Amino acid sequence: MGRYVARRLLQMIPVFIGVTLLVFLMMYALPGDPVRALWGDQSFDPAQIEAMRHDLGLDQPLWKQYLDYLAGLPQGDFGESIANQIPVSEIIADALPTTARLAFLAFTFTVVLGVALGTLAGLRAGTAVDTLVLFLTLLFISVPIFVLGYIAQYFFGHRLGWVTPVVNDSEDWGQLVLPALVLGSLSLAYVARLTRTSIAENLRADYMRTAVAKGLPRFRILRMHLLRNSMIPVVTFLGVDIGGLLAGAVVTEGIFNINGIGSEMFDALFRREGSTVVGIVTLIVIIYLVVSLVVDLLYAVLDPRIRYA
């Protein structure tokens, strides 16, 4: 196990460098100068702009800027925001807790409701319950998340008045319920369908017939044999989905006026501020890689046949 973990950690290094370098190059290839944009339509002194670019290191070659960025990461230095004149790490520290709460609620709804609906549909494959679950999940998959967000905001917020249309207090978990449901709706639909397919397939497996023939209690068969083996593809999807929830929060946070990582990234993209975007993307990449490793290790827990030597 230790060798496997060490090998995976070494494999993460080129992946991390490749992704961050690609995003770094893409951001600095965009037209526009974020330093010049600070003056807007006002007159400016070119010497002052050049001095500011020198202080931020933007007059260095691109490869030198990237190496300096990588060198600062071990100390928690994600660069400096040009518009706010503060470290990007402070922006992340202020916005991350809000997005983390939103993503946690969305992930919880995805796991609980998705697995429950998928299990119910898989155990009753071909019945009206199965058809209803497939129809609802297909509806969630077909409707874009920004359309679903505005529909939920109008119907539950403005018409019924059950929730506030926008989030006024990001620390209030109750106000984050509706945005979390919208954010996790697509993932919930995929988890339900994936669970349903896996359950229906494993019900016909030989080990299930053997467990029934041995006279084991039905609950033990479902919990220890059916669900445990059916969760492997679901866990794989959920591991990837954690990073997807953080990245997908851009649209949801914009609809419900939530000041989190998504809104900060959108504002930075609008200002062509590459340092903030690269810093946030770097954090998401790190989360992706760590969760991917944890998911691989969970395989051995779910399936005793899987062992990492």
Side-chain angles (χ1 to χ4, degrees):
M1 179 70 75
R3 290 184 179 181
Y4 174 78
V5 174
R7 187 167 64 251
R8 282 298 310 272
L9 290 175
L10 291 176
Q11 291 174 354
M12 288 180 181
I13 296 176
V15 175
F16 176 79
I17 294 177
V19 174
T20 53
L21 177 60
L22 180 62
V23 176
F24 195 90
L25 294 176
M26 290 175 61
M27 286 305 306
Y28 285 92
L30 292 176
D33 185 353
V35 178
R36 167 65 183 87
L38 293 177
W39 274 262
D41 296 332
Q42 301 177 0
S43 59
F44 61 92
D45 183 4
Q48 188 176 4
I49 291 182
E50 290 302 321
M52 188 173 182
R53 289 176 58 85
H54 177 73
D55 293 338
L56 294 172
L58 298 179
D59 58 343
Q60 299 289 334
L62 198 56
W63 63 268
K64 180 69 166 52
Q65 296 182 42
Y66 180 70
L67 291 180
D68 291 341
Y69 175 74
L70 290 181
L73 288 179
Q75 288 79 37
D77 183 9
F78 289 86
E80 184 176 349
S81 171
I82 299 175
N84 299 321
Q85 299 293 304
I86 59 174
V88 176
S89 57
E90 293 186 11
I91 297 177
I92 295 176
D94 292 337
L96 184 59
T98 299
T99 302
R101 284 190 291 268
L102 179 64
F104 174 77
L105 278 178
F107 186 76
T108 302
F109 291 141
T110 298
V111 174
V112 175
L113 296 180
V115 172
L117 290 175
T119 303
L120 182 62
L123 293 175
R124 301 179 180 273
T127 64
V129 174
D130 182 29
T131 303
L132 179 61
V133 171
L134 290 177
F135 172 77
L136 291 177
T137 54
L138 180 61
L139 184 64
F140 282 132
I141 294 173
S142 303
V143 179
I145 189 171
F146 63 89
V147 175
L148 184 63
Y150 282 118
I151 291 176
Q153 185 183 54
Y154 172 77
F155 187 74
F156 295 106
H158 294 288
R159 293 297 299 272
L160 297 178
W162 291 355
V163 295
T164 55
V166 295
V167 175
N168 299 316
D169 183 8
S170 60
E171 296 184 358
D172 185 357
W173 290 83
Q175 295 188 26
L176 295 177
V177 170
L178 185 61
L181 283 172
V182 173
L183 177 60
S185 60
L186 181 61
S187 301
L188 188 153
Y190 281 124
V191 167
R193 282 178 163 260
L194 194 58
T195 304
R196 181 258 180 199
T197 303
S198 187
I199 290 286
E201 180 180 354
N202 284 310
L203 273 175
R204 300 187 295 268
D206 292 337
Y207 70 86
M208 288 296 298
R209 288 192 290 267
T210 302
V212 174
K214 288 182 176 180
L216 296 177
R218 177 176 174 82
F219 178 75
R220 180 178 176 82
I221 294 175
L222 295 178
R223 181 173 63 90
M224 296 299 298
H225 296 276
L226 182 60
L227 282 178
R228 188 170 179 176
N229 288 281
S230 300
M231 285 299 102
I232 293 179
V234 178
V235 168
T236 303
F237 175 82
L238 290 174
V240 178
D241 188 57
I242 292 179
L245 291 176
L246 294 176
V250 175
V251 177
T252 306
E253 290 179 0
I255 295 174
F256 292 94
N257 193 32
I258 302 174
N259 295 322
I261 289 292
S263 61
E264 291 291 347
M265 184 183 295
F266 178 81
D267 293 340
L269 284 170
F270 182 77
R271 297 191 303 263
R272 299 294 191 271
E273 192 172 319
S275 57
T276 303
V277 176
V278 173
I280 294 176
V281 171
T282 299
L283 176 65
I284 296 176
V285 170
I286 294 174
I287 294 175
Y288 258 117
L289 294 176
V290 172
V291 172
S292 176
L293 176 60
V294 173
V295 168
D296 285 348
L297 298 179
L298 281 176
Y299 289 160
V301 177
L302 293 172
D303 192 343
R305 296 171 298 178
I306 300 176
R307 288 293 180 266
Y308 298 117

